[in-house]
Amino acid sequence: MVTPTLQQEITQLEANLCAALSDPNRLLILYALNDGPRNVTELATELGLNQPTTSRHLKVLRERGLVYTVRAGTVITYHLSDPRLIQALDLLRNVMRERLAHQANLINN
């Protein structure tokens, strides 16, 4: 049964998280930040993106509360807000992997 609370939480989930996680580069940024804080230049270099694109992705992640910033002089470093994000992404990747393996088995049999 779909309750009003569940409906509201799903709406918020879509608005706040799903949209932010809909770009593969943003997912890669989150994984990079899971290894430790980085500034925009470090992220851009590590991921092979240009700096303006990286900054736009970071803005989306920051606006959704998935990352936060710390300023030290002129350097702004980005940090992962909650390590459970990576756990959730890993869980989704495992589901996807198992689903793809199942589909491959159906094709091969």
Side-chain angles (χ1 to χ4, degrees), residues 3-21 63-66 85:
T3 64
T5 301
L6 177 61
Q7 182 69 40
Q8 183 179 11
E9 288 176 352
I10 296 296
T11 300
Q12 287 298 315
L13 178 68
E14 193 282 326
N16 292 321
L17 289 178
C18 294
L21 300 176
E63 287 172 345
R64 300 303 196 290
L66 303 181
L85 290 167

Side-chain angles (χ1 to χ4, degrees), residues 56-105:
R56 281 193 302 275
H57 287 308
L58 287 166
K59 180 179 185 232
V60 170
L61 294 170
R62 189 178 65 247
E63 287 172 345
R64 300 303 196 290
L66 303 181
V67 301
Y68 67 93
T69 59
V70 174
R71 180 183 288 274
T74 60
V75 178
I76 298 172
T77 56
Y78 291 83
H79 301 253
L80 186 64
S81 293
D82 190 330
R84 292 178 299 173
L85 290 167
I86 300 303
Q87 293 171 349
L89 291 173
D90 286 344
L91 180 61
L92 290 171
R93 287 175 48 222
N94 285 334
V95 169
M96 180 192 64
R97 249 188 251 110
E98 288 176 14
R99 186 72 195 135
L100 291 173
H102 177 73
Q103 289 172 345
N105 284 338

Side-chain angles (χ1 to χ4, degrees), residues 25 29 38-60 62 74-78:
N25 288 316
I29 288 170
R38 308 269 200 299
N39 65 40
V40 67
T41 303
E42 292 168 332
L43 285 166
T45 301
E46 184 175 335
L47 300 175
L49 302 171
N50 64 48
Q51 192 165 336
T53 297
T54 305
S55 292
R56 281 193 302 275
H57 287 308
L58 287 166
K59 180 179 185 232
V60 170
R62 189 178 65 247
T74 60
V75 178
I76 298 172
T77 56
Y78 291 83

